[in-house]
Amino acid sequence: MKATAKAHTNIALIKYWGKRNEELILPTNSSLSITLDLFYTETTVEFDERLTTDIFYLNGEEKGTDETAKVSRFLNHVRKLTGDTRFAIVSSQNHVPTAAGFASSASGYAALAAASSKALGLELDGKELSKLARRGSGSACRSIYGGFVEWKKGVKEDGSDSYAVPILDQKAWNLSILSVMIESKQKKILSREGMKRTVQTSPFYDGWLKATEQELQIAKKAIEKRDFEMLGETLEKNAFKMHATTLGADPPFFYWQPATLEIIDCVQHLRSQGLFAYVTIDAGPNVKVICQPDDERKVFQTLNEIDSVKEIFVCHPGPGISYL
Ligand code: PMV
């Protein structure tokens, strides 16, 4: 009744931004991501009839009631699927710089979904596992697969058609994703809260929905053709549009810091010199710069000269779920 799984985090090229159902975590738009090789979570789950509560260890440290309650809520979904009522010990090792704006929730819930379902003897296929991971955090449903992945938003109210599908294997197209860390403070507005406020109050949200549907199709075409410029232009525009919706929210908010703009400026300058690199930004100030492997070194060196850049992690497409 024990299993260990490993899941990698992912970065969205076409963003998931907004829910149509908060409880089931159903998105208003489909999204597209690359699973990353460098950042991952390893989780062991053991169900035991002697336990009187769930216990959660993160990086060797026992967590308090709030964090354990989130894990318990997730385990309840798995317990419901099997009818098993036992509590579990969950032990996670996060190989993701948590507070730095990297989505550790994606690898965290994907690993938890895989390990907990396996520990209870469920043999879930990718689709079912993706739906289960989605209940923890939306972006986690994409971390079930490696390489390029699409999360199909689905239209059904029960969420049965909202899950991720692999669209291109990890090894089929190598790209460089430079995760540029500018500050490590905890983010102020979590994505959950940020997207909710935007959906409810931003007049720009309708524009986002219209544009993102088209951009998803263009991005998929670019991946199919391995057209890097087409993909890069599309992902950068998509990220900017997502962030534009937050400025229209009430009260308005934004995730960028002065250093965020410095990096955008630097990447645009590289492009004016004929080097094709593009930016994307999630619900935080850090920037991910995407380029082709031949340009990786030059992009790294240029970004590394900016004073406000603390650290740069160089990632490539990574694998999907594995069991240890
Ligand atoms: O899955 P969550 O709740 O961490 O939301 C992720 C939201 C973004 O990172 C901003 C976009 C995305 O598609 O990953």
Side-chain angles (χ1 to χ4, degrees), residues 3-4 28 39 53-54 64 86 93 136 141 169 183 195 200 217 240 243 286 310 318 322-323:
T4 301
T28 46
F39 305 136
T53 178
D54 294 316
R86 280 172 301 172
Q93 291 290 332
C141 82
D169 186 75
E183 58 139 48
M195 61 177 87
Q200 288 175 347
Q217 298 315 323
F240 287 171
H243 286 269
N286 293 303
K310 282 199 172 152
S322 59
Y323 296 93

Side-chain angles (χ1 to χ4, degrees), residues 236-290:
E236 189 171 288
K237 282 183 201 164
N238 185 262
F240 287 171
K241 282 197 192 77
M242 177 198 121
H243 286 269
T245 65
T246 70
L247 292 175
D250 190 7
F253 64 103
F254 56 89
Y255 289 106
W256 297 6
Q257 303 275 314
T260 311
L261 283 165
E262 266 186 273
I263 295 160
I264 295 171
D265 198 47
C266 171
V267 169
Q268 287 180 346
H269 181 68
L270 281 172
R271 280 215 297 275
S272 73
Q273 296 181 326
L275 196 155
F276 293 100
Y278 300 89
V279 303
T280 187
I281 305 160
D282 279 341
N286 293 303
V287 182
K288 278 90 182 169
V289 179
I290 299 166

Side-chain angles (χ1 to χ4, degrees), residues 40-316:
Y40 60 92
T41 303
E42 260 173 31
T43 297
T44 300
V45 179
E46 182 167 21
F47 289 90
D48 187 331
E49 61 270 353
R50 288 167 301 181
L51 293 171
T52 52
T53 178
D54 294 316
I55 300 171
F56 175 41
Y57 289 92
L58 182 61
N59 299 334
E61 190 189 310
E62 188 174 344
K63 298 312 257 183
T65 38
D66 287 0
E67 275 160 288
T68 307
K70 282 190 200 163
V71 169
S72 284
R73 266 200 298 277
F74 184 83
L75 291 176
N76 287 343
H77 299 310
V78 191
R79 285 189 274 251
K80 205 170 157 191
L81 283 175
T82 56
D84 202 308
T85 54
R86 280 172 301 172
F87 292 106
I89 296 189
V90 174
S91 178
S92 282
Q93 291 290 332
N94 231 352
H95 300 265
V96 186
T98 306
F102 297 104
S104 63
S105 65
S107 56
Y109 280 110
L112 184 61
S116 59
S117 57
K118 184 98 170 169
L120 285 183
L122 284 172
E123 294 291 337
L124 300 183
D125 60 13
K127 176 171 150 183
E128 293 307 316
L129 204 49
S130 177
K131 284 198 261 179
L132 179 60
R134 193 199 76 219
R135 300 298 301 273
S137 131
S139 55
C141 82
R142 298 185 307 236
S143 275
I144 301 303
Y145 299 105
F148 294 76
V149 181
E150 179 184 355
W151 174 10
K152 295 190 176 291
K153 65 177 177 168
V155 292
K156 293 189 181 156
E157 291 206 349
D158 65 358
S160 56
D161 58 349
S162 183
Y163 51 84
V165 292
I167 58 171
L168 188 69
D169 186 75
Q170 172 195 359
K171 302 230 158 57
W173 194 17
N174 193 20
L175 294 179
S176 303
I177 303 104
L178 284 73
S179 285
V180 186
M181 222 166 117
I182 55 171
E183 58 139 48
S184 55
K185 275 191 244 140
Q186 197 71 29
K187 48 189 176 184
K188 283 178 276 191
I189 298 173
L190 296 172
S191 52
R192 195 169 284 229
E193 192 192 325
M195 61 177 87
K196 190 174 176 184
R197 192 190 302 173
T198 307
V199 171
Q200 288 175 347
T201 64
S202 179
F204 305 155
Y205 194 72
D206 280 347
W208 156 258
L209 282 181
K210 229 178 262 161
T212 203
E213 213 47 66
Q214 287 165 6
E215 284 166 350
L216 174 70
Q217 298 315 323
I218 300 170
K220 281 170 74 173
K221 190 102 217 136
I223 291 169
E224 196 186 309
K225 297 193 332 194
R226 313 285 197 276
D227 185 331
F228 182 67
E229 279 180 56
M230 184 172 163
L231 180 64
E233 275 175 23
T234 310
L235 73 88
E236 189 171 288
K237 282 183 201 164
N238 185 262
F240 287 171
K241 282 197 192 77
M242 177 198 121
H243 286 269
T245 65
T246 70
L247 292 175
D250 190 7
F253 64 103
F254 56 89
Y255 289 106
W256 297 6
Q257 303 275 314
T260 311
L261 283 165
E262 266 186 273
I263 295 160
I264 295 171
D265 198 47
C266 171
V267 169
Q268 287 180 346
H269 181 68
L270 281 172
R271 280 215 297 275
S272 73
Q273 296 181 326
L275 196 155
F276 293 100
Y278 300 89
V279 303
T280 187
I281 305 160
D282 279 341
N286 293 303
V287 182
K288 278 90 182 169
V289 179
I290 299 166
C291 66
Q292 297 179 93
D294 283 350
D295 298 327
E296 181 183 297
R297 186 190 267 278
K298 168 87 177 139
V299 175
F300 181 95
Q301 282 168 347
T302 310
L303 291 167
N304 211 25
E305 278 166 21
I306 301 175
D307 282 346
S308 48
V309 168
K310 282 199 172 152
E311 207 169 345
I312 303 173
F313 301 93
V314 182
C315 307
H316 298 101

